[in-house]
Amino acid sequence: AFAARDDRSTNWDALMPLIVAWTTAQTGSDLTERLQARGIGTHWATTLAEAAASEQPSSRRYFHGEEVDGKAVPVPGIPFVLSQPGESRNGTDHSATPAGSVPDRRLPLQGTTVLDFGQYIAAPFVGRWLAALGAEVILVESRLNPADFRAGAVGADGIPGPNRAAAFNVLAQGKKGISLNMRTPEARDIARRLAGQSDIVIENFSSGTMDRWGLGYSDLSEMNPMLIYLSVAAWGRTGPLKDYAGLHSVINAFSGLADVTGYHDGGPRL
């Protein structure tokens, strides 16, 4: 009765009590380890103190000390890591253009090519804004594994269709598309050739996926040294939790946000 997603949705009233009974019989850390081992994004709701003391942010040097009212307080830093300092890609001296002047009508990223492997929201949203700024953004998906945001709620008319989801029409706005079944060596070869001709690659797969396809930064930067490679992961690409899966709610639970959300007489809430 619960084998397929549609079956689970149909029988949710029967399934939910079973899930509650199973999860509440375990500790948060044990549950997280068991589900993460199966590639299921999970994390228990930590306190702010637990989040600050975690090895994951400390290994990425996320916090730095500040003195506040005579006390040393850990303060969060920037949420990303740059592999090397940015350089001008074409040697253009932009300081020669006076502020407020409009030398031409070109959009700022016109002539820039972006290969977009983004899933869900964060990475696709980056590609959507790069397209709005004039970049040629190529969305990579396949018939067997279409962009997940195609499956969102449809418009007001309620007519379903792969191009009619509201999320798809927001996140894929202005993008081109190519269908590549990345399970095949032929598709991966095409993707590598496209990356070799691109200025930017965006991806937010689980850690190791792009490397297994021969599309990691170390592989692509050899053939395209000026490539900008944006790699987004729930836990970052380094640190003891880099292989954990997760999306926004899972990160919110890990961050300690639930510890300070909700009512005084209730438990943590997200």
Side-chain angles (χ1 to χ4, degrees), residues 124-153:
F125 208 61
V126 173
R128 179 254 184 272
W129 282 109
L130 295 179
L133 291 169
E136 178 188 47
V137 181
I138 304 170
L139 173 64
V140 180
E141 55 178 338
S142 76
R143 182 173 56 84
L144 296 176
N145 186 30
D148 46 68
F149 40 87
R150 288 183 183 273

Side-chain angles (χ1 to χ4, degrees), residues 69-82:
D69 295 332
K71 296 180 180 180
V73 177
V75 177
I78 58 174
F80 51 82
V81 177
L82 298 176

Side-chain angles (χ1 to χ4, degrees), residues 12 34 46 63 94-95 111 114-115 133 152 158 161 170 175 177 184 200-201 214 223 247 268:
W12 187 249
R34 292 184 66 177
T46 67
F63 290 104
H94 297 287
S95 64
V114 180
L115 195 58
L133 291 169
V170 171
K175 299 180 184 180
T184 68
I200 302 170
V201 168
M223 65 178 182
L247 293 171

Side-chain angles (χ1 to χ4, degrees), residues 40-61:
I40 300 173
T42 315
H43 203 280
W44 79 93
T46 67
T47 64
L48 287 174
E50 289 171 332
S54 169
E55 291 184 22
Q56 183 63 19
S58 63
S59 71
R60 293 173 58 80
R61 299 188 297 277

Side-chain angles (χ1 to χ4, degrees), residues 151-207:
V154 298
D157 56 16
I159 301 174
N163 299 321
R164 299 184 61 82
F168 177 76
N169 282 281
V170 171
L171 296 172
Q173 187 179 136
K175 299 180 184 180
K176 297 181 178 179
I178 185 170
S179 180
L180 293 176
N181 180 3
M182 298 300 293
R183 298 175 183 175
T184 68
E186 295 82 5
R188 295 193 291 270
D189 183 61
I190 292 172
R192 279 190 289 270
R193 297 203 318 260
L194 284 171
Q197 301 170 24
S198 298
D199 301 288
I200 302 170
V201 168
I202 300 171
E203 66 92 8
N204 62 333
F205 290 115
S206 297
S207 292

